[in-house]
Amino acid sequence: DARVTQTPRHKVTEMGQEVTMRCQPILGHNTVFWYRQTMMQGLELLAYFRNRAPLDDSGMPKDRFSAEMPDATLATLKIQPSEPRDSAVYFCASGLGQGTETQYFGPGTRLLVL
Amino acid sequence: QKEVEQDPGPLSVPEGAIVSLNCTYSNSAFQYFMWYRQYSRKGPELLMYTYSSGNKEDGRFTAQVDKSSKYISLFIRDSQPSDSATYLCAIDYNQGGKLIFGQGTELSVKP
């Protein structure tokens, strides 16, 4: 069945290193969301795209985070340089782009920055 | 004040109990309300979705919105151990997919 895929599933890195997370949305979905989940802050929207164009990235720290959609089947979230406070689970979700809609979440990337 | 507030629990109930999960929200203009369920180490999945006020029922689950008090609820009847998960309420901030989530309530249903 169709599902959102994310790679890597787990990542351990050292402070200062670049981290790239990838997401493949469900085929035919034109909206992609990036979320971060921590115990303290819960699930927070970082950025989202519709038809590959960024709609809102107000939740994303601009100095170190960047999100892109090189094509309709791939979304990336990069952190450079990474910091220990970036340790979290990062989720990608996709949807059909019909206003309020069901968002289908991937399994997440668990990031630990030492 | 956060836009959506939710008691994180944890909440532990015996099998068969009625569970009530609640959230409050800050802006009376919000119209779309959702409940997502998240099993341990998985991504959230949509459970129920309501528009404006009133109730919506789906099997053992009922979602309720009280716009006068800015309160949303999820009721689970005849709770099962398989209902053990974290339940997140969410509002659609701009009616265009920008979701704001509550903290999530961790529920454990004991056999």
Side-chain angles (χ1 to χ4, degrees), chain B residues 55-74:
Chain B
N55 290 3
K56 186 173 184 178
E57 194 171 312
D58 184 2
R60 296 183 294 109
F61 298 87
T62 300
Q64 190 173 79
V65 178
D66 181 347
K67 293 203 77 181
S68 61
S69 54
K70 291 184 275 188
Y71 203 77
I72 55 177
S73 303
L74 178 71

Side-chain angles (χ1 to χ4, degrees), chain A residues 10 33 35 37 39-43 45 48 50 56 58 91 99-103 105-107 110, chain B residues 2 32 34 36 38 40-46 49 88 92 94-99 101-103:
Chain A
H10 299 88
F33 306 84
Y35 290 90
Q37 188 173 39
M39 289 292 290
M40 290 299 294
Q41 299 299 325
L43 189 62
L45 179 66
Y48 71 109
R50 184 156 290 151
D56 189 328
S58 58
F91 287 103
T100 294
E101 60 184 303
T102 301
Q103 295 185 17
F105 282 76
R110 292 183 173 272
Chain B
K2 284 190 173 181
Y32 293 90
M34 281 137 277
Y36 276 76
Q38 185 177 21
S40 180
R41 305 184 77 83
K42 303 285 188 184
E45 56 180 348
L46 182 67
Y49 147 47
L88 301 119
D92 190 321
N94 61 355
Q95 300 180 33
K98 180 174 179 176
L99 298 186
F101 283 87
Q103 189 74 3

Side-chain angles (χ1 to χ4, degrees), chain B residues 17-35:
Chain B
I18 295 174
V19 176
S20 172
L21 303 167
N22 307 292
C23 291
T24 58
Y25 61 94
S26 60
N27 190 331
S28 57
F30 295 146
Q31 296 273 41
Y32 293 90
F33 307 92
M34 281 137 277
W35 285 95

Side-chain angles (χ1 to χ4, degrees), chain A residues 3-42:
Chain A
R3 55 182 70 184
V4 175
T5 57
Q6 290 186 246
T7 56
R9 294 292 308 277
H10 299 88
K11 176 75 176 178
V12 180
T13 191
E14 292 188 346
M15 184 173 62
Q17 297 297 304
E18 178 178 298
V19 175
T20 299
M21 291 169 270
R22 294 177 174 80
C23 167
Q24 183 171 11
I26 292 172
L27 191 64
H29 284 189
N30 68 352
T31 310
V32 174
F33 306 84
W34 281 107
Y35 290 90
R36 175 172 63 185
Q37 188 173 39
T38 62
M39 289 292 290
M40 290 299 294
Q41 299 299 325

